Amino acid sequence: MTTIARALATAAFLLAAGTPIYAQTPQHAATQFLPIKNEPAPKLFVDQPLPRPLITRGVAIIPYRAENFRILPIFGAGATDISPRAGHLHVSIDDLPWRRADAGGTGAIVLTGLPPGEHKVLIESPRQNIKWLGGKVVKFTVPAIDSSHL
């Protein structure tokens, strides 16, 4: 009985006296984006479009993955200050002056409605992050699709 009473008294004391460290020092609150020393270099891997959707429907589904970099809806110069590295991708089609952003991290760029013929897609990190991932170019041909077979 004495052991149980002592254990209960110790537990009650710890519960009453113990407060989390971050509650006492709010300026040191925990965050998921802490600096990591010697982070491995991020890498971007981009594959050719999946053949079946491209041939049968003219839809380019371009798989990609990033290592040591998370694709998230993070924009602006502040994206370079977080760790582990995170940000979005820019997608340029056929050297056009506009580009789209991919921030969903779905693992694929999906392009529909491209006219038949040769196309070039550049997938890269934004200018402020260019040193991280660089860019990858994918070239492919969209065949002429007979819409009566769709």
Side-chain angles (χ1 to χ4, degrees), residues 103-120:
T106 60
I109 304 296
V110 180
L111 304 172
T112 63
L114 293 173
E118 294 287 322
H119 294 282
K120 179 175 88 172

Side-chain angles (χ1 to χ4, degrees), residues 15-68:
L15 286 174
T19 57
I21 293 172
Y22 65 85
Q24 295 174 358
T25 55
Q27 68 273 18
H28 299 293
T31 177
Q32 64 179 346
F33 296 111
L34 295 173
I36 299 173
K37 294 182 190 229
N38 302 321
E39 283 185 74
K43 296 177 186 174
L44 178 64
F45 300 91
V46 179
D47 293 333
Q48 285 296 115
L50 300 177
R52 185 165 174 84
L54 186 61
I55 293 168
T56 60
R57 299 185 322 234
V59 175
I61 300 175
I62 305 169
Y64 72 85
R65 71 180 171 84
E67 286 184 359
N68 307 313

Side-chain angles (χ1 to χ4, degrees), residues 52-59 116 142-150:
R52 185 165 174 84
L54 186 61
I55 293 168
T56 60
R57 299 185 322 234
V59 175
V142 174
I145 306 294
D146 182 3
S147 60
S148 65
H149 291 85
L150 296 178

Side-chain angles (χ1 to χ4, degrees), residues 66-106:
E67 286 184 359
N68 307 313
F69 188 86
R70 297 185 307 167
I71 309 299
L72 297 171
I74 297 175
F75 301 91
T80 60
D81 298 332
I82 60 173
S83 178
R85 294 181 185 104
H88 63 284
L89 297 174
H90 284 176
V91 180
S92 303
I93 304 167
D94 296 332
D95 295 322
L96 293 170
W98 55 267
R99 61 182 60 91
R100 64 177 282 247
D102 180 73
T106 60

